mmCIF file of all heavy atoms in Angstrom:
data_model
loop_
_atom_site.group_PDB
_atom_site.id
_atom_site.type_symbol
_atom_site.label_atom_id
_atom_site.label_comp_id
_atom_site.label_asym_id
_atom_site.label_seq_id
_atom_site.Cartn_x
_atom_site.Cartn_y
_atom_site.Cartn_z
ATOM 1 N N ARG A 1 -1.037 21.553 1.604
ATOM 2 C CA ARG A 1 -2.156 20.894 0.915
ATOM 3 C C ARG A 1 -2.658 21.732 -0.255
ATOM 4 O O ARG A 1 -2.875 21.220 -1.356
ATOM 5 C CB ARG A 1 -3.303 20.619 1.920
ATOM 6 C CG ARG A 1 -4.490 19.885 1.257
ATOM 7 C CD ARG A 1 -5.754 19.962 2.081
ATOM 8 N NE ARG A 1 -6.190 21.310 2.392
ATOM 9 C CZ ARG A 1 -6.792 22.155 1.552
ATOM 10 N NH1 ARG A 1 -7.012 21.788 0.293
ATOM 11 N NH2 ARG A 1 -7.173 23.328 1.938
ATOM 12 N N MET A 2 -2.827 23.030 -0.026
ATOM 13 C CA MET A 2 -3.293 23.908 -1.095
ATOM 14 C C MET A 2 -2.269 24.028 -2.245
ATOM 15 O O MET A 2 -2.655 24.002 -3.411
ATOM 16 C CB MET A 2 -3.618 25.307 -0.559
ATOM 17 C CG MET A 2 -4.893 25.326 0.253
ATOM 18 S SD MET A 2 -5.413 27.026 0.726
ATOM 19 C CE MET A 2 -4.300 27.315 2.104
ATOM 20 N N ALA A 3 -0.998 24.064 -1.877
ATOM 21 C CA ALA A 3 0.041 24.123 -2.901
ATOM 22 C C ALA A 3 0.039 22.863 -3.764
ATOM 23 O O ALA A 3 0.127 22.935 -4.999
ATOM 24 C CB ALA A 3 1.418 24.346 -2.261
ATOM 25 N N ARG A 4 -0.097 21.728 -3.123
ATOM 26 C CA ARG A 4 -0.185 20.459 -3.872
ATOM 27 C C ARG A 4 -1.434 20.428 -4.763
ATOM 28 O O ARG A 4 -1.371 20.020 -5.942
ATOM 29 C CB ARG A 4 -0.193 19.263 -2.934
ATOM 30 C CG ARG A 4 1.146 18.997 -2.303
ATOM 31 C CD ARG A 4 1.052 17.814 -1.318
ATOM 32 N NE ARG A 4 2.291 17.593 -0.654
ATOM 33 C CZ ARG A 4 3.268 16.819 -1.076
ATOM 34 N NH1 ARG A 4 3.149 16.184 -2.205
ATOM 35 N NH2 ARG A 4 4.380 16.681 -0.391
ATOM 36 N N GLU A 5 -2.545 20.876 -4.202
ATOM 37 C CA GLU A 5 -3.803 20.886 -4.965
ATOM 38 C C GLU A 5 -3.684 21.824 -6.192
ATOM 39 O O GLU A 5 -4.246 21.522 -7.239
ATOM 40 C CB GLU A 5 -4.946 21.356 -4.069
ATOM 41 C CG GLU A 5 -6.317 21.337 -4.715
ATOM 42 C CD GLU A 5 -7.416 21.775 -3.783
ATOM 43 O OE1 GLU A 5 -7.291 21.600 -2.564
ATOM 44 O OE2 GLU A 5 -8.417 22.307 -4.317
ATOM 45 N N ALA A 6 -2.916 22.879 -6.051
ATOM 46 C CA ALA A 6 -2.777 23.841 -7.139
ATOM 47 C C ALA A 6 -1.762 23.346 -8.184
ATOM 48 O O ALA A 6 -1.642 23.949 -9.267
ATOM 49 C CB ALA A 6 -2.321 25.194 -6.588
ATOM 50 N N GLY A 7 -1.021 22.273 -7.864
ATOM 51 C CA GLY A 7 -0.048 21.760 -8.833
ATOM 52 C C GLY A 7 1.340 22.361 -8.650
ATOM 53 O O GLY A 7 2.117 22.390 -9.613
ATOM 54 N N CYS A 8 1.655 22.839 -7.473
ATOM 55 C CA CYS A 8 2.946 23.463 -7.224
ATOM 56 C C CYS A 8 3.981 22.438 -6.733
ATOM 57 O O CYS A 8 4.935 22.806 -6.057
ATOM 58 C CB CYS A 8 2.800 24.550 -6.162
ATOM 59 S SG CYS A 8 1.756 25.896 -6.650
ATOM 60 N N PHE A 9 3.809 21.216 -7.026
ATOM 61 C CA PHE A 9 4.704 20.173 -6.506
ATOM 62 C C PHE A 9 5.082 19.242 -7.657
ATOM 63 O O PHE A 9 4.212 18.868 -8.464
ATOM 64 C CB PHE A 9 4.061 19.393 -5.385
ATOM 65 C CG PHE A 9 4.935 18.312 -4.806
ATOM 66 C CD1 PHE A 9 6.005 18.641 -4.025
ATOM 67 C CD2 PHE A 9 4.660 16.999 -5.064
ATOM 68 C CE1 PHE A 9 6.811 17.659 -3.470
ATOM 69 C CE2 PHE A 9 5.453 16.000 -4.534
ATOM 70 C CZ PHE A 9 6.549 16.335 -3.713
ATOM 71 N N THR A 10 6.296 18.870 -7.749
ATOM 72 C CA THR A 10 6.708 17.920 -8.781
ATOM 73 C C THR A 10 6.680 16.528 -8.154
ATOM 74 O O THR A 10 7.477 16.219 -7.283
ATOM 75 C CB THR A 10 8.137 18.228 -9.275
ATOM 76 O OG1 THR A 10 8.143 19.528 -9.792
ATOM 77 C CG2 THR A 10 8.567 17.270 -10.345
ATOM 78 N N PRO A 11 5.726 15.684 -8.561
ATOM 79 C CA PRO A 11 5.658 14.326 -8.017
ATOM 80 C C PRO A 11 6.982 13.572 -8.229
ATOM 81 O O PRO A 11 7.597 13.707 -9.272
ATOM 82 C CB PRO A 11 4.510 13.685 -8.799
ATOM 83 C CG PRO A 11 3.723 14.825 -9.337
ATOM 84 C CD PRO A 11 4.708 15.931 -9.545
ATOM 85 N N GLY A 12 7.374 12.816 -7.234
ATOM 86 C CA GLY A 12 8.575 12.035 -7.323
ATOM 87 C C GLY A 12 9.822 12.769 -6.865
ATOM 88 O O GLY A 12 10.844 12.168 -6.651
ATOM 89 N N ALA A 13 9.727 14.113 -6.758
ATOM 90 C CA ALA A 13 10.881 14.870 -6.292
ATOM 91 C C ALA A 13 10.939 14.815 -4.779
ATOM 92 O O ALA A 13 9.983 14.355 -4.134
ATOM 93 C CB ALA A 13 10.758 16.333 -6.777
ATOM 94 N N SER A 14 12.022 15.305 -4.239
ATOM 95 C CA SER A 14 12.118 15.299 -2.798
ATOM 96 C C SER A 14 11.048 16.153 -2.178
ATOM 97 O O SER A 14 10.499 17.026 -2.802
ATOM 98 C CB SER A 14 13.508 15.821 -2.339
ATOM 99 O OG SER A 14 13.576 17.211 -2.550
ATOM 100 N N ARG A 15 10.744 15.942 -0.925
ATOM 101 C CA ARG A 15 9.680 16.675 -0.245
ATOM 102 C C ARG A 15 9.881 18.175 -0.270
ATOM 103 O O ARG A 15 8.917 18.925 -0.258
ATOM 104 C CB ARG A 15 9.602 16.157 1.209
ATOM 105 C CG ARG A 15 8.586 16.861 2.070
ATOM 106 C CD ARG A 15 8.503 16.183 3.431
ATOM 107 N NE ARG A 15 7.885 17.005 4.428
ATOM 108 C CZ ARG A 15 6.595 17.239 4.551
ATOM 109 N NH1 ARG A 15 5.773 16.725 3.710
ATOM 110 N NH2 ARG A 15 6.134 17.995 5.541
ATOM 111 N N ASN A 16 11.055 18.652 -0.356
ATOM 112 C CA ASN A 16 11.352 20.084 -0.281
ATOM 113 C C ASN A 16 11.439 20.727 -1.658
ATOM 114 O O ASN A 16 11.839 21.869 -1.757
ATOM 115 C CB ASN A 16 12.641 20.332 0.511
ATOM 116 C CG ASN A 16 12.468 19.934 1.974
ATOM 117 O OD1 ASN A 16 11.434 20.161 2.551
ATOM 118 N ND2 ASN A 16 13.497 19.316 2.501
ATOM 119 N N TYR A 17 11.130 20.023 -2.715
ATOM 120 C CA TYR A 17 11.247 20.605 -4.046
ATOM 121 C C TYR A 17 9.867 20.996 -4.565
ATOM 122 O O TYR A 17 8.974 20.184 -4.694
ATOM 123 C CB TYR A 17 11.882 19.592 -5.013
ATOM 124 C CG TYR A 17 12.030 20.150 -6.409
ATOM 125 C CD1 TYR A 17 13.002 21.091 -6.685
ATOM 126 C CD2 TYR A 17 11.164 19.731 -7.400
ATOM 127 C CE1 TYR A 17 13.121 21.613 -7.980
ATOM 128 C CE2 TYR A 17 11.272 20.256 -8.702
ATOM 129 C CZ TYR A 17 12.234 21.190 -8.986
ATOM 130 O OH TYR A 17 12.349 21.709 -10.216
ATOM 131 N N TRP A 18 9.674 22.259 -4.811
ATOM 132 C CA TRP A 18 8.421 22.785 -5.309
ATOM 133 C C TRP A 18 8.652 23.394 -6.693
ATOM 134 O O TRP A 18 9.563 24.195 -6.859
ATOM 135 C CB TRP A 18 7.844 23.838 -4.369
ATOM 136 C CG TRP A 18 7.476 23.269 -3.024
ATOM 137 C CD1 TRP A 18 8.273 23.185 -1.955
ATOM 138 C CD2 TRP A 18 6.255 22.653 -2.678
ATOM 139 N NE1 TRP A 18 7.610 22.532 -0.906
ATOM 140 C CE2 TRP A 18 6.352 22.223 -1.349
ATOM 141 C CE3 TRP A 18 5.060 22.455 -3.350
ATOM 142 C CZ2 TRP A 18 5.308 21.594 -0.674
ATOM 143 C CZ3 TRP A 18 3.993 21.827 -2.678
ATOM 144 C CH2 TRP A 18 4.156 21.400 -1.358
ATOM 145 N N ALA A 19 7.864 23.018 -7.643
ATOM 146 C CA ALA A 19 7.929 23.593 -8.970
ATOM 147 C C ALA A 19 6.715 24.457 -9.180
ATOM 148 O O ALA A 19 5.606 23.968 -9.235
ATOM 149 C CB ALA A 19 7.951 22.460 -10.018
ATOM 150 N N VAL A 20 6.910 25.726 -9.226
ATOM 151 C CA VAL A 20 5.794 26.684 -9.301
ATOM 152 C C VAL A 20 5.807 27.367 -10.642
ATOM 153 O O VAL A 20 6.680 28.134 -10.956
ATOM 154 C CB VAL A 20 5.878 27.718 -8.172
ATOM 155 C CG1 VAL A 20 4.686 28.658 -8.224
ATOM 156 C CG2 VAL A 20 5.951 27.033 -6.820
ATOM 157 N N THR A 21 4.781 27.104 -11.444
ATOM 158 C CA THR A 21 4.607 27.760 -12.708
ATOM 159 C C THR A 21 3.618 28.935 -12.475
ATOM 160 O O THR A 21 2.914 28.976 -11.449
ATOM 161 C CB THR A 21 4.009 26.808 -13.758
ATOM 162 O OG1 THR A 21 2.722 26.396 -13.293
ATOM 163 C CG2 THR A 21 4.914 25.599 -13.989
ATOM 164 N N ASP A 22 3.515 29.816 -13.422
ATOM 165 C CA ASP A 22 2.565 30.932 -13.284
ATOM 166 C C ASP A 22 1.140 30.469 -13.101
ATOM 167 O O ASP A 22 0.436 30.959 -12.205
ATOM 168 C CB ASP A 22 2.662 31.870 -14.466
ATOM 169 C CG ASP A 22 3.937 32.719 -14.456
ATOM 170 O OD1 ASP A 22 4.606 32.778 -13.391
ATOM 171 O OD2 ASP A 22 4.250 33.347 -15.474
ATOM 172 N N PRO A 23 0.646 29.502 -13.904
ATOM 173 C CA PRO A 23 -0.719 29.033 -13.703
ATOM 174 C C PRO A 23 -0.908 28.339 -12.354
ATOM 175 O O PRO A 23 -1.958 28.532 -11.694
ATOM 176 C CB PRO A 23 -0.924 28.016 -14.843
ATOM 177 C CG PRO A 23 0.040 28.407 -15.905
ATOM 178 C CD PRO A 23 1.217 28.939 -15.140
ATOM 179 N N ALA A 24 0.081 27.571 -11.882
ATOM 180 C CA ALA A 24 -0.014 26.916 -10.581
ATOM 181 C C ALA A 24 -0.043 27.965 -9.474
ATOM 182 O O ALA A 24 -0.785 27.847 -8.514
ATOM 183 C CB ALA A 24 1.129 25.948 -10.350
ATOM 184 N N LEU A 25 0.766 29.022 -9.590
ATOM 185 C CA LEU A 25 0.806 30.075 -8.605
ATOM 186 C C LEU A 25 -0.556 30.786 -8.559
ATOM 187 O O LEU A 25 -1.043 31.116 -7.485
ATOM 188 C CB LEU A 25 1.921 31.052 -8.890
ATOM 189 C CG LEU A 25 2.167 32.141 -7.875
ATOM 190 C CD1 LEU A 25 2.462 31.540 -6.491
ATOM 191 C CD2 LEU A 25 3.297 33.057 -8.318
ATOM 192 N N ALA A 26 -1.156 31.033 -9.701
ATOM 193 C CA ALA A 26 -2.476 31.667 -9.737
ATOM 194 C C ALA A 26 -3.501 30.787 -9.073
ATOM 195 O O ALA A 26 -4.360 31.305 -8.330
ATOM 196 C CB ALA A 26 -2.867 31.967 -11.191
ATOM 197 N N ARG A 27 -3.496 29.484 -9.313
ATOM 198 C CA ARG A 27 -4.444 28.569 -8.659
ATOM 199 C C ARG A 27 -4.223 28.555 -7.154
ATOM 200 O O ARG A 27 -5.150 28.576 -6.378
ATOM 201 C CB ARG A 27 -4.290 27.137 -9.226
ATOM 202 C CG ARG A 27 -4.859 26.987 -10.621
ATOM 203 C CD ARG A 27 -4.937 25.509 -11.045
ATOM 204 N NE ARG A 27 -3.625 24.855 -11.062
ATOM 205 C CZ ARG A 27 -2.808 24.836 -12.102
ATOM 206 N NH1 ARG A 27 -3.141 25.423 -13.204
ATOM 207 N NH2 ARG A 27 -1.648 24.182 -12.023
ATOM 208 N N PHE A 28 -2.939 28.528 -6.772
ATOM 209 C CA PHE A 28 -2.633 28.561 -5.329
ATOM 210 C C PHE A 28 -3.141 29.817 -4.675
ATOM 211 O O PHE A 28 -3.765 29.757 -3.603
ATOM 212 C CB PHE A 28 -1.085 28.445 -5.142
ATOM 213 C CG PHE A 28 -0.669 28.520 -3.712
ATOM 214 C CD1 PHE A 28 -0.973 27.522 -2.803
ATOM 215 C CD2 PHE A 28 0.038 29.617 -3.252
ATOM 216 C CE1 PHE A 28 -0.563 27.611 -1.471
ATOM 217 C CE2 PHE A 28 0.471 29.709 -1.954
ATOM 218 C CZ PHE A 28 0.142 28.701 -1.058
ATOM 219 N N ALA A 29 -2.932 30.965 -5.310
ATOM 220 C CA ALA A 29 -3.423 32.236 -4.771
ATOM 221 C C ALA A 29 -4.932 32.211 -4.604
ATOM 222 O O ALA A 29 -5.468 32.694 -3.602
ATOM 223 C CB ALA A 29 -2.971 33.372 -5.663
ATOM 224 N N GLU A 30 -5.640 31.656 -5.590
ATOM 225 C CA GLU A 30 -7.109 31.580 -5.474
ATOM 226 C C GLU A 30 -7.532 30.652 -4.350
ATOM 227 O O GLU A 30 -8.491 30.963 -3.630
ATOM 228 C CB GLU A 30 -7.744 31.152 -6.812
ATOM 229 C CG GLU A 30 -9.238 31.071 -6.771
ATOM 230 C CD GLU A 30 -9.948 32.319 -6.196
ATOM 231 O OE1 GLU A 30 -9.477 33.436 -6.489
ATOM 232 O OE2 GLU A 30 -10.894 32.187 -5.421
ATOM 233 N N LEU A 31 -6.839 29.542 -4.164
ATOM 234 C CA LEU A 31 -7.149 28.652 -3.057
ATOM 235 C C LEU A 31 -6.927 29.347 -1.708
ATOM 236 O O LEU A 31 -7.744 29.199 -0.792
ATOM 237 C CB LEU A 31 -6.276 27.392 -3.127
ATOM 238 C CG LEU A 31 -6.640 26.418 -4.260
ATOM 239 C CD1 LEU A 31 -5.607 25.328 -4.348
ATOM 240 C CD2 LEU A 31 -8.024 25.785 -4.028
ATOM 241 N N VAL A 32 -5.872 30.121 -1.592
ATOM 242 C CA VAL A 32 -5.598 30.849 -0.355
ATOM 243 C C VAL A 32 -6.675 31.874 -0.133
ATOM 244 O O VAL A 32 -7.201 32.028 0.992
ATOM 245 C CB VAL A 32 -4.186 31.499 -0.375
ATOM 246 C CG1 VAL A 32 -3.972 32.407 0.780
ATOM 247 C CG2 VAL A 32 -3.130 30.395 -0.407
ATOM 248 N N ARG A 33 -7.068 32.624 -1.165
ATOM 249 C CA ARG A 33 -8.146 33.650 -1.017
ATOM 250 C C ARG A 33 -9.440 32.974 -0.619
ATOM 251 O O ARG A 33 -10.155 33.480 0.267
ATOM 252 C CB ARG A 33 -8.326 34.405 -2.334
ATOM 253 C CG ARG A 33 -7.257 35.452 -2.564
ATOM 254 C CD ARG A 33 -7.615 36.355 -3.758
ATOM 255 N NE ARG A 33 -7.723 35.658 -5.015
ATOM 256 C CZ ARG A 33 -6.690 35.513 -5.850
ATOM 257 N NH1 ARG A 33 -5.519 35.989 -5.571
ATOM 258 N NH2 ARG A 33 -6.860 34.853 -6.977
ATOM 259 N N ALA A 34 -9.765 31.841 -1.209
ATOM 260 C CA ALA A 34 -11.031 31.146 -0.891
ATOM 261 C C ALA A 34 -11.003 30.668 0.560
ATOM 262 O O ALA A 34 -12.015 30.768 1.266
ATOM 263 C CB ALA A 34 -11.244 29.971 -1.844
ATOM 264 N N ALA A 35 -9.869 30.174 1.011
ATOM 265 C CA ALA A 35 -9.785 29.695 2.404
ATOM 266 C C ALA A 35 -9.944 30.870 3.371
ATOM 267 O O ALA A 35 -10.607 30.734 4.401
ATOM 268 C CB ALA A 35 -8.418 28.987 2.638
ATOM 269 N N GLU A 36 -9.371 31.991 3.043
ATOM 270 C CA GLU A 36 -9.474 33.179 3.921
ATOM 271 C C GLU A 36 -10.908 33.707 3.944
ATOM 272 O O GLU A 36 -11.448 34.077 4.984
ATOM 273 C CB GLU A 36 -8.514 34.280 3.471
ATOM 274 C CG GLU A 36 -8.523 35.452 4.378
ATOM 275 C CD GLU A 36 -8.066 35.167 5.800
ATOM 276 O OE1 GLU A 36 -7.435 34.105 6.022
ATOM 277 O OE2 GLU A 36 -8.365 35.977 6.677
ATOM 278 N N ARG A 37 -11.565 33.698 2.787
ATOM 279 C CA ARG A 37 -13.001 34.106 2.731
ATOM 280 C C ARG A 37 -13.835 33.191 3.612
ATOM 281 O O ARG A 37 -14.686 33.687 4.346
ATOM 282 C CB ARG A 37 -13.516 34.084 1.290
ATOM 283 C CG ARG A 37 -13.088 35.278 0.444
ATOM 284 C CD ARG A 37 -13.838 35.356 -0.879
ATOM 285 N NE ARG A 37 -13.744 34.112 -1.635
ATOM 286 C CZ ARG A 37 -12.840 33.902 -2.593
ATOM 287 N NH1 ARG A 37 -11.928 34.802 -2.869
ATOM 288 N NH2 ARG A 37 -12.854 32.771 -3.281
ATOM 289 N N GLU A 38 -13.561 31.896 3.525
ATOM 290 C CA GLU A 38 -14.363 30.955 4.344
ATOM 291 C C GLU A 38 -14.091 31.169 5.823
ATOM 292 O O GLU A 38 -15.016 31.110 6.636
ATOM 293 C CB GLU A 38 -14.081 29.519 3.916
ATOM 294 C CG GLU A 38 -14.949 28.509 4.602
ATOM 295 C CD GLU A 38 -16.457 28.724 4.484
ATOM 296 O OE1 GLU A 38 -16.904 29.356 3.487
ATOM 297 O OE2 GLU A 38 -17.211 28.285 5.363
ATOM 298 N N ARG A 39 -12.837 31.412 6.192
ATOM 299 C CA ARG A 39 -12.544 31.709 7.615
ATOM 300 C C ARG A 39 -13.319 32.931 8.104
ATOM 301 O O ARG A 39 -13.856 32.974 9.197
ATOM 302 C CB ARG A 39 -11.050 31.900 7.820
ATOM 303 C CG ARG A 39 -10.257 30.626 8.027
ATOM 304 C CD ARG A 39 -8.879 30.873 8.529
ATOM 305 N NE ARG A 39 -7.968 31.322 7.460
ATOM 306 C CZ ARG A 39 -7.347 30.524 6.602
ATOM 307 N NH1 ARG A 39 -7.516 29.224 6.709
ATOM 308 N NH2 ARG A 39 -6.550 31.008 5.708
ATOM 309 N N CYS A 40 -13.376 33.961 7.258
ATOM 310 C CA CYS A 40 -14.104 35.179 7.615
ATOM 311 C C CYS A 40 -15.604 34.908 7.736
ATOM 312 O O CYS A 40 -16.263 35.365 8.648
ATOM 313 C CB CYS A 40 -13.840 36.288 6.586
ATOM 314 S SG CYS A 40 -12.163 36.946 6.608
ATOM 315 N N ALA A 41 -16.133 34.143 6.793
ATOM 316 C CA ALA A 41 -17.542 33.807 6.830
ATOM 317 C C ALA A 41 -17.910 32.977 8.053
ATOM 318 O O ALA A 41 -18.941 33.175 8.685
ATOM 319 C CB ALA A 41 -17.950 33.031 5.551
ATOM 320 N N LYS A 42 -17.008 32.071 8.446
ATOM 321 C CA LYS A 42 -17.258 31.267 9.664
ATOM 322 C C LYS A 42 -17.246 32.169 10.895
ATOM 323 O O LYS A 42 -17.979 31.898 11.844
ATOM 324 C CB LYS A 42 -16.217 30.156 9.798
ATOM 325 C CG LYS A 42 -16.473 29.017 8.821
ATOM 326 C CD LYS A 42 -15.462 27.919 8.989
ATOM 327 C CE LYS A 42 -15.780 26.763 8.035
ATOM 328 N NZ LYS A 42 -14.819 25.686 8.101
ATOM 329 N N LEU A 43 -16.416 33.164 10.915
ATOM 330 C CA LEU A 43 -16.418 34.111 12.018
ATOM 331 C C LEU A 43 -17.769 34.828 12.099
ATOM 332 O O LEU A 43 -18.365 34.987 13.194
ATOM 333 C CB LEU A 43 -15.286 35.118 11.883
ATOM 334 C CG LEU A 43 -15.145 36.154 12.988
ATOM 335 C CD1 LEU A 43 -14.890 35.475 14.335
ATOM 336 C CD2 LEU A 43 -14.024 37.122 12.652
ATOM 337 N N CYS A 44 -18.312 35.228 10.947
ATOM 338 C CA CYS A 44 -19.651 35.818 10.924
ATOM 339 C C CYS A 44 -20.689 34.819 11.424
ATOM 340 O O CYS A 44 -21.637 35.226 12.122
ATOM 341 C CB CYS A 44 -20.004 36.286 9.508
ATOM 342 S SG CYS A 44 -19.043 37.676 8.951
#
């Protein structure tokens, strides 16, 4: 879900085809960091 939200997927391609550009990878990394921060905050 995060990879798709970041734009790491080519619409219309097969399910296993991911197109990752540098900007999409940066967005994906930030989404992953944000999710991990929220998991830590929920633990608190």
